[in-house]
Amino acid sequence: VCIHRVRSCSGIRFIKSKYVCVFDKSALKFSHQQRLFRTSAVSCGQIVQFKLSDIGEGITEVTVKEWYIKEGDSVSQFDSICEVQSDKASVTITSRYDGIIRKLHYNLDEIAYVGKPLVDIEIDASKGVSPEEDVVETPPMSHEEHTHQEIKGHKTLATPAVRRLAMENNIKLSEVVGTGKDNRILKEDILNYLAKQTGAILPPSPKAEIIPPLPKSETVPAAPKDRAHKIPVPVSRPIVFSGKDKTEPITGFQKAMVKTMSAALKIPHFGYCDEIDLTQLVQLREELKPLAQIRGVKLSFMPFFIKAASLGLLQYPILNASLDESCQNVTYKASHNIGVAMDTEQGLIVPNVKNVQVSSVFEIASELNRLQSLGSAGQLGTNDLSGGTFTLSNIGTIGGTYAKPVILPPEVAIGALGKIQVLPRFNGKGEVFKAQIMNVSWSADHRIIDGATMARFSNLWKSYLENPASMLLDLK
């Protein structure tokens, strides 16, 4: 029915209309009798509170590191809202709704808590979203956040964002191994699968694209590079000395270090040190570097160290085990997930290379490149930082020769690698020759590992590195 003219009286009558209808005049207000007006649809949005869901690993609080939206911005489902950092990883939070951001509940560097509102979003009331679902405490993963796909008789669990990422990269979920609860496929699983297939990753993040180190840095001589590290880099702004004490809360990866090192105090450590002659390995790497660069991978010494450690762990599986809290059971890990300690702007982090026992040296190098790029950008996921079974820490990149590494529970062994030095040594004929020497420092859990076992493992690892061609006999 179209209203042409109305006249205010005891009732309202349609003029020049085929239909006649009477209304109560109190329902409408007019500033003047016999006035034209138009009807328009007014959309009353509904405000819902988007809560921070459980991101796993027992994390209850995170630090808001970056907002990708501001109040008044329009967002769609799966759009990135913010990046948060826990004591284990950095995570990008995406929207569940289409709507307009009305309120940000936290400022940058503030602590956000799981289950508490993160942002307020105004959505279209016609969408029928019940406000109760954001008021009542919900499980870590609500039902509508998961989609189930029937594949060969079993269900594959994945969030819509993960399914979209898989679809954009033409990845079948049936081919991806889920590492989440109930074998749920996580974003990190898709990225790891993509890295192994292509050797490159394009994370769906608003951050700038990660650019790997330029190959030309390899041509810089070692000596000038070492001296450059010793020269303090001037800061861009003058340091202001206030003369006052400053107290800051422990957050992020530093908080994880506090928990891990506190747990490590319960472990009786013992150390074992040795030196390795890497002369042949240095020559082999120089020959293989150009081939790796053609494939787009930077080849360092670490992939050889990691692969040699994995070959040694096959012979001494007790070093790739874990001990339960009651010290009654030992679990021998089937996978060799070897962690690599990295010094980043966020602090010390230890991502790990998964399934080294079935990976080639080139595949390990490719995975290390990925982890180092993500670590430098602060974008390592929970899957990259969890599940380690054995750790190597390369202190030689900074300049040290010996260390006393601390075991990362629940692991039972760790090695610290020193810098490679050119030193004089004697051969079998008593002649002096120039050797490439590296020192290694091992720490092991003396409750289940004795010194003889650690020494035998170290000798085997040493033999693989001093005679790298011998690794060919045991590679699978």
Side-chain angles (χ1 to χ4, degrees), residues 239-354:
I239 299 176
V240 179
F241 181 72
S242 63
K244 298 180 180 179
D245 296 341
K246 182 172 65 173
T247 302
E248 295 180 348
I250 297 177
T251 59
F253 295 125
Q254 190 178 15
K255 193 171 186 178
M257 186 185 297
V258 171
K259 295 178 182 178
T260 303
M261 294 299 101
S262 298
L265 287 174
K266 303 177 183 179
I267 300 176
H269 288 57
F270 82 89
Y272 178 84
C273 301
D274 201 355
E275 73 171 31
I276 321 293
D277 184 357
L278 298 180
T279 303
Q280 293 187 37
L281 182 60
V282 170
Q283 295 174 354
L284 177 63
R285 174 177 171 265
E286 288 300 320
E287 296 174 1
L288 297 179
K289 272 200 314 181
L291 298 177
Q293 288 180 351
I294 292 174
R295 300 187 187 185
V297 173
K298 177 182 177 182
L299 182 63
S300 63
F301 289 103
M302 185 58 74
F304 296 97
F305 300 153
I306 292 175
K307 189 59 184 181
S310 178
L311 294 175
L313 294 175
L314 291 174
Q315 301 296 324
Y316 299 96
I318 188 64
L319 297 175
N320 196 60
S322 64
L323 186 65
D324 64 2
E325 293 183 0
S326 60
C327 300
Q328 300 297 318
N329 301 288
V330 177
T331 301
Y332 294 86
K333 304 293 186 178
S335 298
H336 296 172
N337 300 338
I338 299 182
V340 180
M342 294 182 181
D343 181 32
T344 68
E345 294 182 357
Q346 292 80 30
L348 178 66
I349 57 176
V350 189
N352 57 84
V353 181
K354 299 288 194 298

Side-chain angles (χ1 to χ4, degrees), residues 20-35:
V20 177
C21 184
V22 178
F23 294 85
D24 183 6
K25 69 177 181 179
S26 62
L28 299 173
K29 295 181 179 180
F30 303 92
S31 58
H32 192 275
Q33 290 187 352
Q34 195 170 339
R35 180 183 179 91

Side-chain angles (χ1 to χ4, degrees), residues 35-220:
R35 180 183 179 91
L36 294 175
F37 73 94
R38 297 177 180 176
T39 60
S40 60
V42 179
S43 175
C44 297
Q46 180 182 10
I47 303 294
V48 296
Q49 291 185 329
F50 176 52
K51 296 182 179 180
L52 178 62
S53 299
D54 187 357
I55 56 180
E57 297 291 326
I59 296 170
T60 59
E61 61 182 43
V62 295
T63 303
V64 178
K65 302 304 294 182
E66 184 174 358
W67 286 107
Y68 299 133
I69 46 87
K70 61 182 182 295
E71 294 181 0
D73 285 354
S74 297
V75 295
S76 302
Q77 290 188 50
F78 316 125
D79 283 354
S80 297
I81 292 180
C82 65
E83 179 182 343
V84 298
Q85 179 179 298
S86 69
D87 56 359
K88 298 182 179 180
S90 295
V91 180
T92 300
I93 306 298
T94 58
S95 175
R96 280 177 53 191
Y97 308 105
D98 298 332
I100 302 174
I101 301 297
R102 290 307 182 193
K103 181 180 180 181
L104 307 181
H105 285 267
Y106 300 99
N107 296 320
L108 291 179
D109 296 325
E110 286 189 346
I111 303 298
Y113 297 93
V114 171
K116 299 298 182 181
L118 191 62
V119 296
D120 288 352
I121 303 179
E122 180 181 340
I123 63 173
D124 189 348
S126 63
K127 296 295 178 76
V129 178
S130 173
E132 286 79 8
E133 70 179 68
D134 286 291
V135 176
V136 181
E137 291 294 333
T138 58
M141 291 289 191
S142 62
H143 174 73
E144 71 178 44
E145 285 182 299
H146 299 121
T147 56
H148 304 260
Q149 183 180 15
E150 291 285 350
I151 300 178
K152 296 181 181 179
H154 71 277
K155 289 183 177 180
T156 298
L157 304 182
T159 63
V162 171
R163 287 175 53 79
R164 185 180 68 170
L165 177 61
M167 181 181 64
E168 290 175 350
N169 291 279
N170 297 320
I171 297 175
K172 295 181 180 179
L173 293 180
S174 59
E175 299 176 355
V176 181
V177 178
T179 59
K181 185 178 180 181
D182 299 327
N183 297 321
R184 181 174 292 111
I185 297 176
L186 307 177
K187 171 186 173 183
E188 291 82 2
D189 299 329
I190 300 294
L191 296 181
N192 289 336
Y193 179 86
L194 185 61
K196 291 180 179 179
Q197 296 297 317
T198 65
I201 292 183
L202 295 176
S205 171
K207 283 183 171 291
E209 181 180 358
I210 301 171
I211 302 176
L214 296 176
K216 65 180 181 180
S217 61
E218 289 289 321
T219 61
V220 179

Side-chain angles (χ1 to χ4, degrees), residues 459-476:
N459 289 338
L460 180 58
W461 181 76
K462 174 180 178 179
S463 68
Y464 284 132
L465 297 177
E466 290 189 338
N467 304 282
S470 64
M471 285 196 289
L472 296 175
L473 297 177
D474 297 319
L475 291 179
K476 296 182 179 179

